[in-house]
């Protein structure tokens, strides 16, 4: 399990790369002080797997680099992102 505590300004994004293998699952949990942070998950082939989520359990259908993109829905956001693999 990995936890990151960061801030993202309105209009900006923080991008995290997660390398995964077919058959794995990535579990993501995002909490923010004002409940204003959300994330998208992008697959290695560029498909959007999750949009504006705060919790997700993502089964990996292909091996490669997945991207978690954190942004704020309004104002600046202080957040904690926890990622685990199964």
């Amino acid at each position: 399990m990995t936890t990151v505590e960061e801030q993202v300004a309105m209009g900006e994004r923080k991008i995290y790369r997660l390398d995964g293998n077919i058959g794995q699952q990535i579990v993501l949990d995002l909490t923010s002080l004002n409940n204003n942070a959300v994330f998208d998950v992008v697959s290695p082939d560029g498909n959007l797997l999750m949009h504006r989520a705060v919790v997700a359990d993502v089964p990996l259908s292909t091996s490669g680099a997945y991207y978690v993109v954190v942004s704020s829905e309004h104002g600046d956001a202080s957040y904690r992102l926890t990622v685990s693999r199964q």
Side-chain angles (χ1 to χ4, degrees), residues 7-56:
Q7 293 182 327
V8 63
M10 182 67 180
E12 293 184 1
R13 302 177 302 161
K14 297 281 184 165
I15 301 172
Y16 302 95
R17 177 183 169 150
L18 302 172
D19 292 318
N21 295 313
I22 190 168
Q24 282 185 312
Q25 283 189 277
I26 297 174
V27 179
L28 302 131
D29 184 20
L30 180 69
T31 57
S32 56
L33 187 60
N34 294 317
N35 295 321
N36 59 342
V38 294
F39 65 81
D40 298 338
V41 178
V42 181
S43 70
D45 58 5
N47 288 325
L48 186 62
L49 302 177
M50 292 286 163
H51 182 61
R52 298 181 119 175
V54 293
V55 176

